[in-house]
Short mmCIF file of all heavy atoms in Angstrom, two decimals:
data_model
loop_
_atom_site.label_atom_id
_atom_site.label_comp_id
_atom_site.label_asym_id
_atom_site.label_seq_id
_atom_site.Cartn_x
_atom_site.Cartn_y
_atom_site.Cartn_z
N ALA A 1 0.85 -1.20 0.00
CA ALA A 1 0.00 0.00 0.00
C ALA A 1 0.88 1.23 0.00
O ALA A 1 1.87 1.31 0.72
CB ALA A 1 -0.91 0.01 1.22
N PHE A 2 0.50 2.21 -0.84
CA PHE A 2 1.20 3.49 -0.85
C PHE A 2 0.46 4.47 0.04
O PHE A 2 -0.70 4.28 0.39
CB PHE A 2 1.30 4.02 -2.28
CG PHE A 2 2.00 3.07 -3.21
CD1 PHE A 2 1.30 2.43 -4.23
CD2 PHE A 2 3.34 2.80 -3.05
CE1 PHE A 2 1.95 1.55 -5.07
CE2 PHE A 2 3.99 1.91 -3.89
CZ PHE A 2 3.29 1.29 -4.90
N ASN A 3 1.12 5.55 0.37
CA ASN A 3 0.57 6.48 1.36
C ASN A 3 -0.64 7.25 0.84
O ASN A 3 -1.30 7.95 1.60
CB ASN A 3 1.66 7.47 1.78
CG ASN A 3 1.36 8.11 3.11
OD1 ASN A 3 0.70 7.53 3.94
ND2 ASN A 3 1.86 9.31 3.30
N MET A 4 -0.94 7.11 -0.48
CA MET A 4 -2.11 7.79 -1.02
C MET A 4 -3.39 7.01 -0.74
O MET A 4 -4.47 7.39 -1.16
CB MET A 4 -1.95 7.99 -2.53
CG MET A 4 -0.84 8.95 -2.91
SD MET A 4 -1.20 10.64 -2.42
CE MET A 4 -2.49 11.03 -3.61
N GLY A 5 -3.28 5.86 -0.08
CA GLY A 5 -4.47 5.16 0.36
C GLY A 5 -4.91 4.01 -0.51
O GLY A 5 -5.93 3.39 -0.25
N LEU A 6 -4.16 3.69 -1.56
CA LEU A 6 -4.56 2.61 -2.45
C LEU A 6 -3.67 1.40 -2.22
O LEU A 6 -2.47 1.53 -2.08
CB LEU A 6 -4.43 3.04 -3.91
CG LEU A 6 -4.80 1.97 -4.93
CD1 LEU A 6 -6.30 1.77 -4.97
CD2 LEU A 6 -4.29 2.34 -6.30
N PHE A 7 -4.25 0.21 -2.14
CA PHE A 7 -3.42 -0.98 -2.11
C PHE A 7 -4.05 -2.06 -2.96
O PHE A 7 -5.22 -2.03 -3.27
CB PHE A 7 -3.17 -1.48 -0.69
CG PHE A 7 -4.38 -2.04 0.00
CD1 PHE A 7 -4.67 -3.38 -0.08
CD2 PHE A 7 -5.19 -1.21 0.74
CE1 PHE A 7 -5.77 -3.90 0.56
CE2 PHE A 7 -6.31 -1.74 1.39
CZ PHE A 7 -6.60 -3.08 1.30
N ASP A 8 -3.23 -3.01 -3.36
CA ASP A 8 -3.67 -4.01 -4.31
C ASP A 8 -3.01 -5.33 -3.99
O ASP A 8 -1.83 -5.35 -3.65
CB ASP A 8 -3.26 -3.57 -5.73
CG ASP A 8 -4.05 -4.32 -6.79
OD1 ASP A 8 -5.10 -4.89 -6.47
OD2 ASP A 8 -3.59 -4.35 -7.93
N LYS A 9 -3.74 -6.43 -4.06
CA LYS A 9 -3.12 -7.73 -3.83
C LYS A 9 -2.25 -8.10 -5.02
O LYS A 9 -2.74 -8.23 -6.14
CB LYS A 9 -4.19 -8.80 -3.62
CG LYS A 9 -4.72 -8.82 -2.19
CD LYS A 9 -5.48 -10.08 -1.90
CE LYS A 9 -5.84 -10.15 -0.43
NZ LYS A 9 -6.54 -11.41 -0.10
N LEU A 10 -0.98 -8.26 -4.74
CA LEU A 10 -0.05 -8.44 -5.83
C LEU A 10 0.01 -9.86 -6.35
O LEU A 10 0.58 -10.11 -7.40
CB LEU A 10 1.35 -7.99 -5.39
CG LEU A 10 1.43 -6.49 -5.11
CD1 LEU A 10 2.82 -6.13 -4.66
CD2 LEU A 10 1.04 -5.70 -6.32
N LEU A 11 -0.55 -10.80 -5.64
CA LEU A 11 -0.57 -12.17 -6.15
C LEU A 11 -1.96 -12.58 -6.58
O LEU A 11 -2.19 -13.73 -6.93
CB LEU A 11 -0.05 -13.15 -5.08
CG LEU A 11 1.44 -13.09 -4.83
CD1 LEU A 11 1.84 -14.17 -3.84
CD2 LEU A 11 2.23 -13.23 -6.11
N GLY A 12 -2.89 -11.65 -6.60
CA GLY A 12 -4.24 -11.95 -7.05
C GLY A 12 -4.36 -11.80 -8.54
O GLY A 12 -3.39 -11.56 -9.25
N LYS A 13 -5.60 -11.89 -9.04
CA LYS A 13 -5.83 -11.69 -10.47
C LYS A 13 -5.79 -10.21 -10.77
O LYS A 13 -6.09 -9.38 -9.93
CB LYS A 13 -7.19 -12.27 -10.87
CG LYS A 13 -7.22 -13.78 -10.85
CD LYS A 13 -8.60 -14.29 -11.14
CE LYS A 13 -9.03 -13.91 -12.54
NZ LYS A 13 -8.21 -14.49 -13.59
N THR A 14 -5.46 -9.86 -11.98
CA THR A 14 -5.49 -8.48 -12.38
C THR A 14 -6.92 -8.02 -12.55
O THR A 14 -7.83 -8.80 -12.77
CB THR A 14 -4.77 -8.29 -13.74
OG1 THR A 14 -5.41 -9.11 -14.71
CG2 THR A 14 -3.33 -8.62 -13.64
N ASN A 15 -7.12 -6.70 -12.47
CA ASN A 15 -8.41 -6.15 -12.81
C ASN A 15 -8.59 -6.22 -14.31
O ASN A 15 -7.63 -6.28 -15.07
CB ASN A 15 -8.49 -4.69 -12.36
CG ASN A 15 -8.37 -4.56 -10.87
OD1 ASN A 15 -8.87 -5.40 -10.14
ND2 ASN A 15 -7.70 -3.52 -10.42
N LYS A 16 -9.86 -6.18 -14.76
CA LYS A 16 -10.08 -6.15 -16.21
C LYS A 16 -9.48 -4.87 -16.75
O LYS A 16 -9.74 -3.78 -16.28
CB LYS A 16 -11.57 -6.20 -16.52
CG LYS A 16 -12.19 -7.53 -16.15
CD LYS A 16 -13.66 -7.54 -16.43
CE LYS A 16 -13.92 -7.55 -17.92
NZ LYS A 16 -15.35 -7.61 -18.23
N LYS A 17 -8.67 -4.99 -17.78
CA LYS A 17 -7.88 -3.86 -18.24
C LYS A 17 -8.06 -3.71 -19.74
O LYS A 17 -7.72 -4.59 -20.51
CB LYS A 17 -6.41 -4.10 -17.91
CG LYS A 17 -5.49 -2.97 -18.31
CD LYS A 17 -5.57 -1.85 -17.32
CE LYS A 17 -4.57 -0.76 -17.64
NZ LYS A 17 -4.72 0.38 -16.78
N GLN A 18 -8.57 -2.58 -20.16
CA GLN A 18 -8.74 -2.35 -21.58
C GLN A 18 -7.64 -1.42 -22.05
O GLN A 18 -7.77 -0.21 -21.98
CB GLN A 18 -10.13 -1.76 -21.86
CG GLN A 18 -11.24 -2.73 -21.54
CD GLN A 18 -12.57 -2.27 -22.08
OE1 GLN A 18 -12.64 -1.27 -22.79
NE2 GLN A 18 -13.62 -2.97 -21.75
N SER A 19 -6.55 -2.00 -22.50
CA SER A 19 -5.40 -1.20 -22.91
C SER A 19 -5.15 -1.36 -24.41
O SER A 19 -4.05 -1.30 -24.89
CB SER A 19 -4.17 -1.63 -22.12
OG SER A 19 -3.99 -3.02 -22.21
N GLY A 20 -6.19 -1.56 -25.15
CA GLY A 20 -6.06 -1.72 -26.59
C GLY A 20 -7.35 -2.28 -27.13
O GLY A 20 -8.41 -2.17 -26.52
N MET A 21 -7.28 -2.88 -28.27
CA MET A 21 -8.45 -3.42 -28.91
C MET A 21 -8.94 -4.67 -28.18
O MET A 21 -8.19 -5.58 -27.91
CB MET A 21 -8.10 -3.75 -30.37
CG MET A 21 -9.26 -4.15 -31.24
SD MET A 21 -9.72 -5.87 -31.04
CE MET A 21 -8.17 -6.66 -31.34
N ILE A 22 -10.23 -4.71 -27.84
CA ILE A 22 -10.83 -5.88 -27.21
C ILE A 22 -11.76 -6.51 -28.21
O ILE A 22 -12.76 -5.92 -28.60
CB ILE A 22 -11.61 -5.49 -25.94
CG1 ILE A 22 -10.69 -4.73 -24.98
CG2 ILE A 22 -12.18 -6.72 -25.27
CD1 ILE A 22 -9.52 -5.52 -24.48
N PRO A 23 -11.47 -7.71 -28.70
CA PRO A 23 -12.28 -8.31 -29.74
C PRO A 23 -13.64 -8.76 -29.23
O PRO A 23 -13.78 -9.16 -28.09
CB PRO A 23 -11.45 -9.53 -30.17
CG PRO A 23 -10.67 -9.88 -28.95
CD PRO A 23 -10.36 -8.57 -28.28
N ALA A 24 -14.63 -8.66 -30.11
CA ALA A 24 -15.99 -9.09 -29.76
C ALA A 24 -16.13 -10.57 -30.03
O ALA A 24 -16.69 -10.99 -31.05
CB ALA A 24 -17.01 -8.28 -30.55
N THR A 25 -15.60 -11.40 -29.16
CA THR A 25 -15.64 -12.84 -29.35
C THR A 25 -16.89 -13.42 -28.74
O THR A 25 -17.55 -12.80 -27.90
CB THR A 25 -14.42 -13.51 -28.67
OG1 THR A 25 -14.53 -13.32 -27.26
CG2 THR A 25 -13.12 -12.94 -29.17
N LYS A 26 -17.22 -14.63 -29.15
CA LYS A 26 -18.24 -15.39 -28.44
C LYS A 26 -17.61 -15.81 -27.13
O LYS A 26 -16.67 -16.58 -27.08
CB LYS A 26 -18.64 -16.62 -29.26
CG LYS A 26 -19.68 -17.49 -28.55
CD LYS A 26 -19.99 -18.70 -29.39
CE LYS A 26 -20.98 -19.61 -28.65
NZ LYS A 26 -21.28 -20.83 -29.43
N LYS A 27 -18.14 -15.32 -26.01
CA LYS A 27 -17.45 -15.46 -24.73
C LYS A 27 -17.53 -16.89 -24.20
O LYS A 27 -18.60 -17.42 -23.99
CB LYS A 27 -18.02 -14.49 -23.71
CG LYS A 27 -17.63 -13.05 -23.97
CD LYS A 27 -17.97 -12.17 -22.79
CE LYS A 27 -17.45 -10.75 -23.01
NZ LYS A 27 -17.75 -9.89 -21.85
N GLU A 28 -16.39 -17.50 -24.03
CA GLU A 28 -16.28 -18.75 -23.31
C GLU A 28 -15.65 -18.52 -21.95
O GLU A 28 -15.49 -19.43 -21.16
CB GLU A 28 -15.44 -19.75 -24.11
CG GLU A 28 -16.08 -20.14 -25.44
CD GLU A 28 -15.26 -21.15 -26.20
OE1 GLU A 28 -14.07 -21.31 -25.85
OE2 GLU A 28 -15.78 -21.78 -27.11
N HIS A 29 -15.28 -17.27 -21.67
CA HIS A 29 -14.62 -16.91 -20.43
C HIS A 29 -14.76 -15.41 -20.24
O HIS A 29 -15.20 -14.69 -21.13
CB HIS A 29 -13.13 -17.29 -20.51
CG HIS A 29 -12.39 -16.52 -21.56
ND1 HIS A 29 -12.47 -16.85 -22.90
CD2 HIS A 29 -11.58 -15.43 -21.49
CE1 HIS A 29 -11.73 -15.99 -23.60
NE2 HIS A 29 -11.19 -15.13 -22.77
N GLU A 30 -14.36 -14.93 -19.09
CA GLU A 30 -14.36 -13.49 -18.82
C GLU A 30 -13.03 -12.91 -19.30
O GLU A 30 -11.97 -13.24 -18.75
CB GLU A 30 -14.55 -13.22 -17.33
CG GLU A 30 -14.66 -11.74 -17.01
CD GLU A 30 -14.96 -11.49 -15.55
OE1 GLU A 30 -15.19 -12.48 -14.82
OE2 GLU A 30 -14.94 -10.31 -15.13
N GLU A 31 -13.08 -12.08 -20.31
CA GLU A 31 -11.85 -11.52 -20.88
C GLU A 31 -11.18 -10.57 -19.91
O GLU A 31 -11.83 -9.84 -19.17
CB GLU A 31 -12.18 -10.81 -22.19
CG GLU A 31 -12.67 -11.75 -23.27
CD GLU A 31 -13.12 -11.02 -24.52
OE1 GLU A 31 -12.99 -9.77 -24.55
OE2 GLU A 31 -13.59 -11.67 -25.46
N GLU A 32 -9.87 -10.61 -19.92
CA GLU A 32 -9.07 -9.82 -18.98
C GLU A 32 -7.78 -9.40 -19.69
O GLU A 32 -6.72 -9.98 -19.49
CB GLU A 32 -8.77 -10.66 -17.74
CG GLU A 32 -8.19 -9.89 -16.58
CD GLU A 32 -7.96 -10.79 -15.38
OE1 GLU A 32 -8.64 -11.82 -15.25
OE2 GLU A 32 -7.07 -10.46 -14.58
N TRP A 33 -7.89 -8.38 -20.51
CA TRP A 33 -6.77 -7.97 -21.36
C TRP A 33 -5.81 -7.06 -20.60
O TRP A 33 -6.21 -6.15 -19.90
CB TRP A 33 -7.28 -7.28 -22.61
CG TRP A 33 -7.98 -8.21 -23.54
CD1 TRP A 33 -9.30 -8.58 -23.51
CD2 TRP A 33 -7.38 -8.94 -24.61
NE1 TRP A 33 -9.55 -9.50 -24.51
CE2 TRP A 33 -8.40 -9.73 -25.21
CE3 TRP A 33 -6.09 -9.01 -25.13
CZ2 TRP A 33 -8.15 -10.58 -26.29
CZ3 TRP A 33 -5.85 -9.83 -26.22
CH2 TRP A 33 -6.87 -10.60 -26.79
N ASP A 34 -4.53 -7.33 -20.78
CA ASP A 34 -3.50 -6.49 -20.17
C ASP A 34 -2.23 -6.59 -21.01
O ASP A 34 -2.12 -7.45 -21.89
CB ASP A 34 -3.22 -6.92 -18.73
CG ASP A 34 -2.96 -5.72 -17.83
OD1 ASP A 34 -2.26 -4.79 -18.27
OD2 ASP A 34 -3.45 -5.72 -16.69
N PHE A 35 -1.29 -5.70 -20.73
CA PHE A 35 -0.05 -5.69 -21.51
C PHE A 35 1.15 -5.67 -20.58
O PHE A 35 1.07 -5.27 -19.42
CB PHE A 35 -0.02 -4.49 -22.46
CG PHE A 35 0.20 -3.18 -21.78
CD1 PHE A 35 1.49 -2.65 -21.62
CD2 PHE A 35 -0.87 -2.45 -21.27
CE1 PHE A 35 1.69 -1.44 -20.98
CE2 PHE A 35 -0.67 -1.24 -20.63
CZ PHE A 35 0.61 -0.73 -20.48
N TYR A 36 2.27 -6.09 -21.12
CA TYR A 36 3.54 -5.99 -20.41
C TYR A 36 4.67 -6.07 -21.42
O TYR A 36 4.45 -6.38 -22.60
CB TYR A 36 3.67 -7.11 -19.37
CG TYR A 36 3.80 -8.51 -19.93
CD1 TYR A 36 5.06 -9.12 -20.07
CD2 TYR A 36 2.69 -9.25 -20.34
CE1 TYR A 36 5.19 -10.39 -20.58
CE2 TYR A 36 2.81 -10.52 -20.85
CZ TYR A 36 4.06 -11.10 -20.97
OH TYR A 36 4.19 -12.36 -21.48
N PHE A 37 5.88 -5.74 -20.98
CA PHE A 37 7.05 -5.76 -21.85
C PHE A 37 7.96 -6.92 -21.44
O PHE A 37 8.04 -7.29 -20.28
CB PHE A 37 7.81 -4.44 -21.76
CG PHE A 37 7.03 -3.26 -22.27
CD1 PHE A 37 6.33 -2.45 -21.38
CD2 PHE A 37 6.97 -2.98 -23.62
CE1 PHE A 37 5.59 -1.38 -21.84
CE2 PHE A 37 6.23 -1.90 -24.09
CZ PHE A 37 5.54 -1.10 -23.20
N SER A 38 8.66 -7.47 -22.43
CA SER A 38 9.54 -8.59 -22.18
C SER A 38 10.65 -8.62 -23.21
O SER A 38 10.56 -7.97 -24.26
CB SER A 38 8.74 -9.90 -22.23
OG SER A 38 9.57 -11.01 -21.91
N ASN A 39 11.70 -9.37 -22.91
CA ASN A 39 12.75 -9.61 -23.88
C ASN A 39 12.36 -10.83 -24.71
O ASN A 39 12.13 -11.91 -24.17
CB ASN A 39 14.08 -9.86 -23.14
CG ASN A 39 15.25 -10.05 -24.09
OD1 ASN A 39 15.25 -10.95 -24.93
ND2 ASN A 39 16.25 -9.21 -23.96
N VAL A 40 12.27 -10.64 -26.03
CA VAL A 40 11.88 -11.72 -26.93
C VAL A 40 12.97 -11.88 -27.98
O VAL A 40 13.16 -11.00 -28.83
CB VAL A 40 10.53 -11.42 -27.61
CG1 VAL A 40 10.14 -12.57 -28.54
CG2 VAL A 40 9.44 -11.20 -26.57
N ASN A 41 13.70 -12.97 -27.90
CA ASN A 41 14.80 -13.21 -28.85
C ASN A 41 15.77 -12.04 -28.89
O ASN A 41 16.17 -11.57 -29.97
CB ASN A 41 14.25 -13.51 -30.24
CG ASN A 41 13.42 -14.77 -30.29
OD1 ASN A 41 13.71 -15.75 -29.59
ND2 ASN A 41 12.36 -14.76 -31.09
N ASP A 42 16.11 -11.53 -27.71
CA ASP A 42 17.06 -10.43 -27.55
C ASP A 42 16.54 -9.10 -28.10
O ASP A 42 17.32 -8.18 -28.36
CB ASP A 42 18.40 -10.76 -28.22
CG ASP A 42 19.11 -11.92 -27.54
OD1 ASP A 42 19.00 -12.03 -26.30
OD2 ASP A 42 19.75 -12.72 -28.24
#
C-alpha cells in the first residue's frame, strides 16, 4: 500500500484492463486484457 491510500493484492488476479483493442468474441470466459514488456529473442 502506498501512502495515497490505495493498495492491491499483488498475487491476485489483475483487474479487467482495456489497454487496446478488445475483440468481440463469443465469450467462453471473462476476458481480462492487459499488456507488459519482455525480452523476446534479444
Side-chain angles (χ1 to χ4, degrees):
F2 302 111
N3 201 28
M4 293 292 288
L6 179 74
F7 69 91
D8 198 18
K9 278 195 173 182
L10 294 179
L11 288 184
K13 289 175 64 63
T14 58
N15 297 324
K16 292 179 70 178
K17 181 78 176 175
Q18 294 192 6
S19 52
M21 188 279 306
I22 305 297
T25 65
K26 178 182 178 182
K27 288 192 175 181
E28 296 182 343
H29 64 281
E30 184 175 354
E31 295 175 2
E32 191 178 335
W33 290 87
D34 217 319
F35 73 93
Y36 67 98
F37 296 96
S38 183
N39 183 301
V40 180
N41 297 324
D42 295 325

